[in-house]
Amino acid sequence: MSLFSDSKTALAGRETPIDTSHTHAVTNHSLHPPFPAGCEEIVLAMGCFWGVERLFWQEPGVYVTAAGYAGGHIPNPTYQETCTSDTGHTEVVRVVYDPSQLPLERLLKIFWEQHDPTQGNRQGNDVGSQYRSAIFTTTDAQLIAAERSADAYQQALDKAGKGAITTEIKPLEAFYYAEAFHQQYLHKNPNGYCGLKGIGVTCPIGQR
């Protein structure tokens, strides 16, 4: 069964991007490109994007983060549309990072260890294709590294008696910003909901 909705049943979307923030509330960097020379971008889905974004903006070497939607069939979806599971999109976080300070393997190690990548169309009590696990890459090297990291983590999960990884790994087609309300949500609402929860298995790559 597909991890996401069929494009034939997807909503229509819109040509004009939805309104969002322009400046990161924590780093004060622009949420929009161009980004500094030497930075790379990867887009990650680990369930509700509120907690995921906070996880990565706190990591040394991350230049800026942004909540958004990716992996689906319609342009410029809204949060309400994405939550229907009829857009094919999942909640994601764009992570713009300096690989000289934060090597990709260490970033991927954080990704695998801080959520449950075996749950298919859900993350904990959050159910729907909009909560599926995914890695959307922007370079060939990222794609190769992501696939290798998945293989390594699956071996660790097998040894621990855990399930099979369901994470979608593919090149990024498009990243759509979420509404301003969702950007850096847990900075603005420190006691807000965070659904992040790992499964206690160490990923045997990189170093924290």
Side-chain angles (χ1 to χ4, degrees):
M1 184 174 69
S2 174
L3 285 178
F4 47 85
S5 299
D6 191 302
S7 59
K8 294 179 181 178
T9 63
L11 303 173
R14 56 200 46 79
E15 293 184 5
T16 303
I18 60 176
D19 290 334
T20 191
S21 304
H22 296 284
T23 303
H24 197 283
V26 178
T27 68
N28 290 319
H29 293 151
S30 174
L31 266 63
H32 303 268
F35 300 118
C39 283
E40 294 191 8
E41 168 192 351
I42 194 166
V43 174
L44 304 173
M46 304 164 64
C48 176
F49 46 24
W50 293 345
V52 180
E53 189 183 13
R54 180 173 63 182
L55 173 69
F56 286 106
W57 85 51
Q58 294 177 338
E59 194 67 25
V62 170
Y63 177 78
V64 77
T65 56
Y69 314 108
H73 314 296
I74 76 168
N76 301 302
T78 66
Y79 178 73
Q80 289 76 15
E81 290 168 345
T82 301
C83 286
T84 67
S85 292
D86 287 333
T87 67
H89 287 294
T90 185
E91 293 189 14
V92 299
V93 171
R94 168 190 262 172
V95 180
V96 179
Y97 65 101
D98 181 346
S100 69
Q101 299 181 46
L102 177 60
L104 178 59
E105 279 199 342
R106 194 168 88 218
L107 191 155
L108 291 169
K109 179 179 175 70
I110 297 167
F111 170 84
W112 293 117
E113 293 180 353
Q114 297 301 315
H115 79 302
D116 185 346
T118 71
Q119 293 193 317
N121 286 335
R122 68 182 301 158
Q123 195 64 208
N125 292 327
D126 295 327
V127 179
S129 61
Q130 69 269 30
Y131 297 115
R132 70 186 187 274
S133 173
I135 302 173
F136 298 109
T137 61
T138 61
T139 68
D140 291 342
Q142 284 183 359
L143 182 60
I144 292 169
E147 291 173 340
R148 287 178 176 170
S149 72
D151 290 341
Y153 198 46
Q154 185 63 67
Q155 293 179 30
L157 293 177
D158 291 344
K159 291 179 182 178
K162 304 293 184 180
I165 289 173
T166 60
T167 302
E168 181 180 1
I169 302 175
K170 67 179 186 180
L172 177 69
E173 294 182 3
F175 169 82
Y176 300 105
Y177 289 93
E179 296 83 345
F181 173 79
H182 296 293
Q183 303 299 338
Q184 299 84 64
Y185 178 85
L186 290 180
H187 172 72
K188 303 167 188 172
N189 303 274
N191 296 318
Y193 171 76
C194 176
L196 276 181
K197 185 178 181 181
I199 53 177
V201 177
T202 300
C203 183
I205 64 168
Q207 299 292 328
R208 284 301 304 267

